[in-house]
Amino acid sequence: EDAVQVRDALETLEVFYRNFLSKGEREIPFRNELQIIQDYLALQKLRYVDSFTDEYEIDEETYEYKVPKLILQPLVENSIYHGVKLKGEHCIIRIAAKADEDGLHIYIRDTGVGMKEEQIRKVLETEREETVVKSQGGFGLVGTIDRIRHYCNRDDVVTIRSEVGEY
């Protein structure tokens, strides 16, 4: 019905897929990863009108850090489908990034329904064999955590904090 909105959506989708494909690169600058997530959230807002607001607090020095492609999208998708959507009221998804002597730190916070301690433990303790089965190749929450672990060559790369009903 609204040709301008349809055109804008198609242009956003075009940019999303161009960035998503990233010329086959597996590692991209954080700046590009951030653009992918901004395009993804713009598309999700078309679907879930007024369900959430996205906010960003990104330190300038983080933009050129190299990261594995598509580490933000599955995490934010998890926020939408398992946090925001289930809450049934307007939520905020906040993405922040900072750099220090330990490297790049990325924070994703939503004001959705939260996770129980048992759910958090299950996600963080999932072994590699289970990851492949559950995430069908590595792009779900557990698969993304595993990809980050592999990329950083260490296990303690992700922390999940939650208060049920709050974040």
Side-chain angles (χ1 to χ4, degrees):
E1 293 178 21
D2 186 349
V4 173
Q5 186 178 11
V6 170
R7 185 202 68 221
D8 291 348
L10 288 173
E11 286 175 357
T12 301
L13 187 62
E14 174 193 6
V15 171
F16 171 76
Y17 276 112
R18 190 177 322 117
N19 288 324
F20 178 85
L21 295 172
S22 303
K23 298 176 185 167
E25 306 269 337
R26 291 182 180 210
E27 186 180 79
I28 61 176
F30 181 64
R31 170 188 316 277
N32 296 24
E33 183 71 7
L34 196 55
Q35 185 61 56
I36 290 171
I37 203 59
Q38 289 169 332
D39 293 339
Y40 172 77
L41 287 171
L43 292 169
Q44 289 299 331
K45 284 180 183 177
L46 294 173
R47 184 173 182 194
Y48 300 108
V49 180
D50 296 327
S51 292
F52 67 90
T53 301
D54 52 322
E55 298 177 351
Y56 302 87
E57 188 177 319
I58 310 297
D59 288 351
E60 196 73 28
E61 65 269 13
T62 65
Y63 288 125
E64 298 311 315
Y65 269 84
K66 294 285 190 179
V67 296
K69 183 172 63 174
L70 294 178
I71 57 169
L72 288 180
Q73 188 277 334
L75 302 175
V76 171
E77 181 176 345
N78 194 72
S79 287
I80 292 171
Y81 289 107
H82 300 290
V84 171
K85 189 174 162 190
L86 296 178
K87 192 152 190 184
E89 60 187 58
H90 187 84
C91 293
I92 296 171
I93 297 174
R94 184 172 294 119
I95 299 169
K98 68 175 189 163
D100 63 20
E101 62 277 349
D102 294 325
L104 176 65
H105 301 271
I106 302 169
Y107 305 88
I108 300 170
R109 179 184 173 112
D110 66 72
T111 57
V113 298
M115 294 174 74
K116 295 177 182 172
E117 199 60 43
E118 180 182 322
Q119 291 171 298
I120 294 171
R121 185 181 47 73
K122 239 177 161 176
V123 167
L124 294 177
E125 291 177 358
T126 301
E127 296 296 325
R128 174 69 184 146
E129 295 77 33
E130 296 175 67
T131 299
V132 174
V133 172
K134 286 184 180 179
S135 66
Q136 299 171 350
F139 287 100
L141 176 61
V142 173
T144 300
I145 292 170
D146 189 61
R147 287 190 314 117
I148 297 168
R149 286 175 175 155
H150 180 74
Y151 183 80
C152 295
N153 199 29
R154 52 187 258 210
D155 288 334
D156 63 336
V157 296
V158 175
T159 302
I160 300 174
R161 294 187 194 109
S162 181
E163 186 173 318
V164 175
E166 298 295 323
Y167 61 90

